[in-house]
C-alpha cells in the first residue's frame, strides 16, 4: 500500500516528525509505533481484516497511529468525531478508544457486509434524517490524497499544520494523508481557534497549513506581524478577494481547494500560481478527475455556468445505510449539487449551491432550519431568512420577522432565542423586525427586496 | 487605567461576547474554552479585542498562547504585565 510503503521508506528520515499538542515522534518512531499498534490489533478478532471498526478520531498522535495501524491491517474504519456519543454503527465489530487502545461495543458476530477490500466510512454531515455513510475504499482515498500531495507539491522540506478535524474528508484526505505521503513534517492541532494555531506555529514553524475561511477571518486580527507560509490551503468556502489580499499580505499565498466527502479533493490551486488567478477561481481539477458543467445553453456572457458533475478515478463507491450495506451505488458522474464554471485556463470556480444550503464556519446550514427556529418563537407571526454577502463566519445571513398583533418581541429577544436553540454557525448575523413583508403579485414574500436590504446591512 | 480585576474581566466576558454565558459559572479559574465556558474561535477574537480596548494594552504575537488566555486569572496576569511595562 502506498502509504505504508512510504512510511517505511522514510523510516530513516529522523529529522522529520509528526507532532500533536503535546508530543512529537520522528517518522521512524511513528512507523515503529504504527507497527506495534498493528501487532496489538492482530490479537483481536474484532480487528480482523475485512471487519469494520468505529474510530472516534482525534487530532493527535494516538488517533493517527490507530488509523494507520487499521489501514495497515486492512481493517475498514467508520470515522466519527472525537466527542461522538451516539451508538456504535451496527456494521462495526467494535469501537476503538485511541487514547487507551481499548475496544468497546465488541460484536464479532457476522455484522460486516462483504468487504473485498478495506473501506473507509465517512458520516455525511449537516443533513437531517437517517444516518448516511459515504463509502470509499482505503486505496482510493490514498490515491486521491496523492493527487493533493502532487498539487500542493508537499515534500520533505515542508512542515504542515493541520488545525482542521482529521475525521472529515478535508482533514483526512486533503491534509493528513497527503502530508504523510509527501514525507513532510506534520503538526496536528486538537483545536482550531487562533490561539492554538499561533501557538502551534511557534512550536514547529510550518510551511503549509490547512484551514477553513472562518479560521482565516479569526486569525487575521491576531496576526500582529507578517508570517508567511508557502501556502495556506482553504476549503469549504472562499475568501472574498478584498480579504484574501489583506490575509495574504500577512500570511502568504492562499490555495483554494474544492472537494466533497464523496469525491475527495476535486480541484485545487497550486500555491505558487499568481495571486490574481488564485483569488479569482479555485483551480484546475486534480489529476485523474474530470469535471463537466451541465450549462444552460441559453446563457451567453462569460463562461458557461451550471451544475457541476465529477468523474473521479478515486471517488466513492456509494452511500451506505445504517447496516453498512451500500444502498445507493455511486453514479458514473457524481452530481455535486454545486453550481460552477470552468474558465479559459481550465480553472474551476464554484458560485453556489443548487439548493438552499450554505456554509458557515465550514459547516452546512439549511436556511429552513433558521426559519423554523425563528418561527417557533412566541409572538412571531412570519419569518423570512435570506443570504447576503460575506461575514466572518461565511455567507451572511439576515433574518426578518413580523410580530403577531399585540405581541412584543424584540430583535434582541429573537437573537437570544437563536443562540439558545441553534448551533453558533447557524445563528443569523442580523435579525430585523419589520412591520410587514412586501408581496409579489403571486402573494409570495418579495425576497428580492429583502436580499437587497440584507446586502446593505451586511456591507454596512 | 482600568485594572484587570476579576470583576472587570468577568463583566467584560458577560457583556462583550456573542455567547450566552451563565454568570454563575464564571470563576477566576474556570477554563474559557473547551471543558469550561466553551467559547469558540470568534469569541477568542472578540475577547482579545475587548481586553485591548478596555485595559489599554496592545498584545504581541508572543502573547497569543492558549495558556495566557486559559482563564480569567491568566488573562489578569497578562494584562497586568503589559500595564506595568507601559
Amino acid at each position: 500500500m502506498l502509504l505504508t510503503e512510504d512510511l517505511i521508506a522514510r523510516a530513516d528520515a529522523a529529522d522529520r516528525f509528526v507532532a500533536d499538542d503535546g508530543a512529537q515522534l520522528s517518522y521512524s518512531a511513528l512507523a515503529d509505533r504504527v507497527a506495534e499498534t498493528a501487532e496489538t490489533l492482530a490479537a483481536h478478532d474484532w480487528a480482523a481484516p475485512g471487519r469494520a471498526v468505529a474510530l472516534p478520531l482525534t487530532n493527535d498522535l494516538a488517533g493517527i497511529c490507530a488509523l494507520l495501524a487499521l489501514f495497515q491491517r486492512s481493517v475498514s474504519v467508520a470515522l466519527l468525531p472525537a466527542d461522538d456519543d451516539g451508538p456504535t454503527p451496527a456494521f462495526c465489530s467494535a469501537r476503538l478508544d485511541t487514547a487507551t487502545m481499548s475496544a468497546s461495543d465488541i460484536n464479532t458476530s457476522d455484522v460486516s457486509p462483504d468487504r473485498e477490500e478495506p473501506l473507509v466510512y465517512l458520516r455525511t454531515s449537516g443533513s437531517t434524517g437517517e444516518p448516511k455513510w459515504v463509502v470509499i475504499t482505503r486505496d482510493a482515498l490514498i490515491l486521491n490524497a496523492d493527487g493533493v500531495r502532487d498539487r500542493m507539491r508537499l515534500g520533505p522540506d515542508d512542515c504542515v499544520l493541520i488545525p482542521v478535524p482529521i475525521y472529515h474528508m478535508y482533514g483526512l484526505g486533503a491534509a493528513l494523508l497527503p502530508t504523510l505521503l509527501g514525507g513532510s513534517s506534520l503538526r496536528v492541532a486538537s483545536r482550531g481557534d487562533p490561539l492554538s494555531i499561533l501557538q502551534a506555529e511557534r512550536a514547529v514553524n510550518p510551511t503549509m497549513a490547512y484551514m477553513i475561511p472562518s479560521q482565516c477571518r479569526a486569525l487575521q486580527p491576531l496576526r500582529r506581524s507578517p508570517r508567511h507560509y508557502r501556502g495556506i490551503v482553504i476549503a469549504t468556502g472562499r475568501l472574498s478577494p478584498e480579504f484574501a489580499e489583506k490575509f495574504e499580505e500577512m500570511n502568504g499565498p492562499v490555495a483554494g481547494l474544492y472537494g466533497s466527502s464523496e469525491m475527495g479533493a476535486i480541484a485545487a490551486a497550486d500555491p505558487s500560481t499568481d495571486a490574481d488567478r488564485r483569488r479569482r477561481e479555485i483551480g484546475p481539477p486534480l489529476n485523474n478527475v474530470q469535471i463537466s458543467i451541465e450549462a444552460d445553453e441559453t446563457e451567453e456572457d462569460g463562461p458557461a455556468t451550471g451544475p457541476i458533475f465529477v468523474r473521479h478515478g478515486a471517488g466513492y463507491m456509494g452511500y451506505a445505510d445504517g447496516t453498512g450495506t451500500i444502498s445507493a451505488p455511486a453514479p458514473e458522474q457524481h452530481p455535486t449539487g454545486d453550481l460552477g464554471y470552468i474558465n479559459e485556463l481550465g480553472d474551476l470556480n464554484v458560485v453556489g449551491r443548487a439548493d438552499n444550503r450554505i456554509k458557515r464556519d465550514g459547516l452546512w446550514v439549511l436556511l429552513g432550519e433558521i426559519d423554523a427556529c425563528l418561527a417557533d418563537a412566541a409572538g412571531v407571526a412570519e419569518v423570512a431568512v435570506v443570504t447576503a454577502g460575506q461575514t466572518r463566519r461565511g455567507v451572511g445571513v439576515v433574518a426578518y420577522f413580523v410580530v403577531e398583533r399585540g405581541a412584543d418581541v424584540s430583535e434582541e429577544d429573537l437573537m437570544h432565542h437563536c443562540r439558545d436553540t441553534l448551533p453558533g454557525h447557524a445563528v443569523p448575523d442580523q435579525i430585523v423586525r419589520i412591520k410587514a413583508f412586501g408581496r409579489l403579485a403571486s402573494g409570495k414574500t418579495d425576497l428580492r427586496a429583502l436580499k437587497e436590504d440584507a446586502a446593505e446591512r451586511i456591507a454596512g | 487605567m482600568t485594572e484587570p480585576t476579576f470583576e472587570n474581566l468577568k463583566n467584560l466576558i458577560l457583556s462583550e461576547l456573542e455567547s450566552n454565558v451563565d454568570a454563575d459559572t464564571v470563576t477566576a479559574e474556570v477554563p474559557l474554552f473547551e471543558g469550561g465556558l466553551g467559547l469558540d474561535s470568534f469569541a477568542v477574537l472578540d475577547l482579545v479585542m475587548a481586553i485591548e480596548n478596555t485595559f489599554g494594552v496592545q498584545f504581541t504575537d508572543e502573547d497569543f498562547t492558549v495558556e495566557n488566555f486559559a482563564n480569567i486569572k491568566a488573562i489578569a496576569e497578562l494584562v497586568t504585565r503589559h500595564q506595568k511595562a507601559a
Side-chain angles (χ1 to χ4, degrees):
Chain A
M1 189 182 70
L2 189 55
L3 190 69
T4 312
E5 283 165 5
D6 264 36
L7 272 176
I8 292 165
R10 293 173 203 287
D12 57 354
D15 58 329
R16 288 185 283 284
F17 60 85
V18 178
D20 63 16
D21 292 345
Q24 182 168 314
L25 290 176
S26 67
Y27 257 72
S28 54
L30 175 73
D32 290 346
R33 190 158 150 190
V34 169
E36 281 166 26
T37 308
E39 242 179 76
T40 309
L41 292 172
H44 299 288
D45 188 32
W46 52 263
R51 292 198 183 278
V53 169
L55 187 66
L57 190 55
T58 45
N59 271 37
D60 57 23
L61 289 171
I64 293 170
C65 285
L67 178 74
L68 295 180
L70 289 164
F71 275 7
Q72 203 171 66
R73 292 270 306 147
S74 294
V75 179
S76 295
V77 290
L79 296 179
L80 299 169
D83 58 355
D84 178 79
D85 56 3
T88 297
F91 58 89
C92 291
S93 53
R95 180 190 193 97
L96 185 60
D97 180 332
T98 59
T100 59
M101 283 305 290
S102 60
S104 58
D105 295 344
I106 295 173
N107 176 10
T108 50
S109 61
D110 190 17
V111 293
S112 303
D114 293 338
R115 295 186 190 90
E116 291 179 3
E117 53 186 329
L119 307 176
V120 177
Y121 295 81
L122 298 158
R123 200 159 60 183
T124 56
S125 58
S127 59
T128 53
E130 291 300 301
K132 196 165 76 168
W133 298 85
V134 171
V135 187
I136 184 167
T137 70
R138 175 199 65 188
D139 294 358
L141 183 69
I142 292 170
L143 188 62
N144 188 304
D146 203 45
V148 180
R149 177 203 57 74
D150 182 60
R151 178 59 47 85
M152 298 304 161
R153 302 167 192 267
L154 293 172
D157 292 337
D158 280 311
C159 176
V160 181
L161 173 61
I162 304 180
V164 293
I166 58 172
Y167 66 86
H168 273 164
M169 179 57 102
Y170 176 45
L172 177 65
L176 175 68
L177 297 180
T179 300
L180 294 172
L181 289 167
S184 314
S185 290
L186 165 68
R187 169 67 155 85
V188 285
S190 65
R191 290 174 35 196
D193 65 88
L195 295 178
S196 299
I197 291 172
L198 291 167
Q199 192 156 350
E201 262 180 15
R202 282 193 294 275
V204 299
N205 196 24
T207 58
M208 293 282 293
Y210 284 79
M211 296 187 199
I212 59 174
S214 59
Q215 284 176 318
C216 299
R217 288 188 280 267
L219 178 63
Q220 176 74 353
L222 301 193
R223 175 79 72 202
R224 298 293 158 91
S225 52
R227 194 272 177 212
H228 282 185
Y229 283 81
R230 180 171 74 75
I232 296 181
V233 185
I234 305 286
T236 78
R238 306 291 306 280
L239 302 178
S240 69
E242 299 77 28
F243 179 78
E245 190 175 345
K246 287 183 201 151
F247 185 77
E248 290 193 349
E249 278 174 18
M250 298 297 278
N251 300 276
V254 168
L257 182 143
Y258 171 66
S260 68
S261 298
E262 292 87 351
M263 305 309 279
I266 293 168
D270 175 338
S272 64
T273 315
D274 74 79
D276 282 349
R277 184 174 168 188
R278 280 186 290 99
R279 289 174 197 162
R280 210 173 42 238
E281 267 86 31
I282 291 171
L286 297 187
N287 294 338
N288 220 11
V289 176
Q290 283 126 36
I291 297 176
S292 55
I293 306 288
E294 287 205 350
D296 185 344
E297 297 290 339
T298 59
E299 280 191 34
E300 286 172 10
D301 295 336
T305 301
I308 301 169
F309 286 81
V310 178
R311 191 193 297 258
H312 197 323
Y316 73 129
M317 297 173 73
Y319 295 110
D321 56 22
T323 69
T325 309
I326 292 180
S327 49
E332 200 169 315
Q333 286 205 98
H334 173 68
T336 63
D338 289 320
L339 303 171
Y341 62 82
I342 293 179
N343 73 1
E344 69 285 358
L345 296 171
D347 290 347
L348 173 73
N349 200 19
V350 177
V351 298
R353 287 292 295 180
D355 54 22
N356 256 345
R357 289 198 303 173
I358 55 167
K359 268 202 173 165
R360 284 163 64 85
D361 287 2
L363 300 167
W364 289 116
V365 180
L366 294 172
L367 295 188
E369 287 175 6
I370 303 173
D371 195 303
C373 164
L374 288 163
D376 269 346
V380 172
E382 207 176 349
V383 177
V385 180
V386 298
T387 59
Q390 288 282 322
T391 67
R392 58 188 191 169
R393 284 198 186 275
V395 177
V397 174
V398 180
Y400 296 86
F401 72 102
V402 176
V403 296
E404 289 172 353
R405 190 180 295 271
D408 184 20
V409 185
S410 71
E411 296 171 355
E412 288 75 10
D413 292 339
L414 275 197
M415 191 57 98
H416 276 291
H417 173 70
C418 286
R419 286 186 185 139
D420 285 341
T421 315
L422 294 168
H425 66 280
V427 175
D429 297 291
Q430 293 187 39
I431 296 180
V432 182
R433 176 175 164 169
I434 54 178
K435 282 187 178 171
F437 287 125
R439 302 288 177 190
L440 300 172
S442 63
K444 289 181 180 171
T445 304
D446 185 355
L447 290 177
R448 178 176 289 193
L450 292 180
K451 280 180 89 75
E452 284 172 8
D453 178 77
E456 283 181 20
R457 289 174 184 276
I458 293 290
Chain B
M1 189 183 292
T2 309
E3 283 187 34
T5 60
F6 168 71
E7 280 307 319
N8 283 342
L9 281 161
K10 178 179 173 178
N11 289 338
L12 183 144
I13 286 169
L14 294 175
S15 63
E16 296 290 329
L17 303 187
E18 278 185 31
S19 301
N20 283 345
V21 175
D22 180 355
D24 293 339
T25 62
V26 183
T27 66
E29 298 196 28
V30 70
L32 298 185
F33 308 106
E34 278 173 17
L37 302 184
L39 302 184
D40 70 7
S41 285
F42 287 114
V44 171
L45 177 57
D46 292 340
L47 181 63
V48 169
M49 297 304 174
I51 292 169
E52 289 187 329
N53 289 334
T54 306
F55 300 106
V57 294
Q58 179 79 32
F59 296 127
T60 64
D61 288 319
E62 288 67 33
D63 293 321
F64 295 127
T65 66
V66 174
E67 290 76 19
N68 278 344
F69 291 85
N71 52 39
I72 288 182
K73 187 170 172 237
I75 294 171
E77 287 169 5
L78 176 69
V79 173
T80 303
R81 282 202 299 277
H82 272 272
Q83 288 183 337
K84 280 185 179 162

